[in-house]
Amino acid sequence: MVGRGVALIISLWCFSAQAAIPPLYQKVAAQHGIPASVLYSLALGESKTQLQSGAVRPWPWTLNVKGQSYFYATYPEACQALHEFLKHTQMVDIGLTQQNWRWQKGHFNRPCEVFDPTVNLNHAAVLLNEGMRKHGSWVKAAGYFHRPGGGEPARRYEATFARHLQQWSPSS
């Protein structure tokens, strides 16, 4: 009886952790064979912001230029800002998973397309799977996503990602 009670509590916790991950992340992750917690943890590490409700969530209309993050209330505002930044630099990280325009622009039709959550998450999933094939773990795949060349920046990112993953992963 105690065993079943523990199993029920664990399964409810797993369900609630998974249910807290928005459906789009679950859908895209499933399409790419990635745990939803991995994709969501990656987005949290890249574009998290605190909403008025107090909840912390990834934000789709986010830019990062030269280490400075910018959060916009709407897609049109973010798109306009992106075009302004691109007049001066190609080193702009865009959207939920902060796709770097300089390195990833060949995968998109136009800059503001990267703000589309489905497009952004699908490309992140492709890069995560590439990192998983090369490195054999989701934590290392996240480091590869952030800095394919590795080194200390990738290791620091892996540590941050691992903390997010522990929070959202049913197996933690």
Side-chain angles (χ1 to χ4, degrees):
M1 190 66 135
V2 172
R4 273 193 247 158
V6 170
L8 177 61
I9 290 169
I10 290 171
S11 67
L12 287 174
W13 181 87
C14 290
F15 174 77
S16 66
Q18 191 69 9
I21 296 173
L24 179 60
Y25 292 85
Q26 294 181 40
K27 178 183 174 188
V28 172
Q31 290 171 340
H32 291 273
I34 294 173
S37 58
V38 167
L39 191 57
Y40 192 66
S41 295
L42 183 86
L44 274 174
E46 294 291 344
S47 67
K48 74 178 174 188
T49 191
Q50 188 168 10
L51 305 177
Q52 287 181 343
S53 68
V56 174
R57 298 285 183 264
W59 189 249
W61 304 302
T62 302
L63 295 172
N64 188 295
V65 182
K66 298 180 182 177
Q68 175 67 47
S69 295
Y70 300 89
F71 297 88
Y72 299 92
T74 67
Y75 166 83
E77 291 172 348
C79 187
Q80 180 180 0
L82 173 59
H83 284 293
E84 287 300 313
F85 284 123
L86 289 176
K87 290 177 183 176
H88 307 285
T89 183
Q90 296 287 295
M91 294 299 286
V92 179
D93 298 332
I94 307 167
L96 286 170
T97 63
Q98 296 291 276
Q99 298 290 325
N100 184 278
W101 185 248
R102 179 179 180 193
W103 301 112
Q104 301 301 323
K105 67 183 169 190
H107 300 281
F108 304 101
N109 294 316
R110 61 192 195 295
C112 291
E113 177 188 31
V114 189
F115 287 119
D116 180 316
T118 301
V119 170
N120 191 291
L121 292 174
N122 272 297
H123 189 61
V126 167
L127 295 174
L128 281 167
N129 271 329
E130 186 177 306
M132 180 60 155
R133 283 190 301 278
K134 289 182 182 227
H135 298 288
S137 83
W138 291 119
V139 171
K140 293 289 184 190
Y144 174 83
F145 172 91
H146 183 73
R147 176 93 174 207
E152 188 57 31
R155 284 191 291 282
R156 282 193 307 270
Y157 188 83
E158 289 167 9
T160 300
F161 171 81
R163 285 191 299 276
H164 288 299
L165 185 61
Q166 184 176 23
Q167 176 185 353
W168 291 100
S169 184
S171 62
S172 60

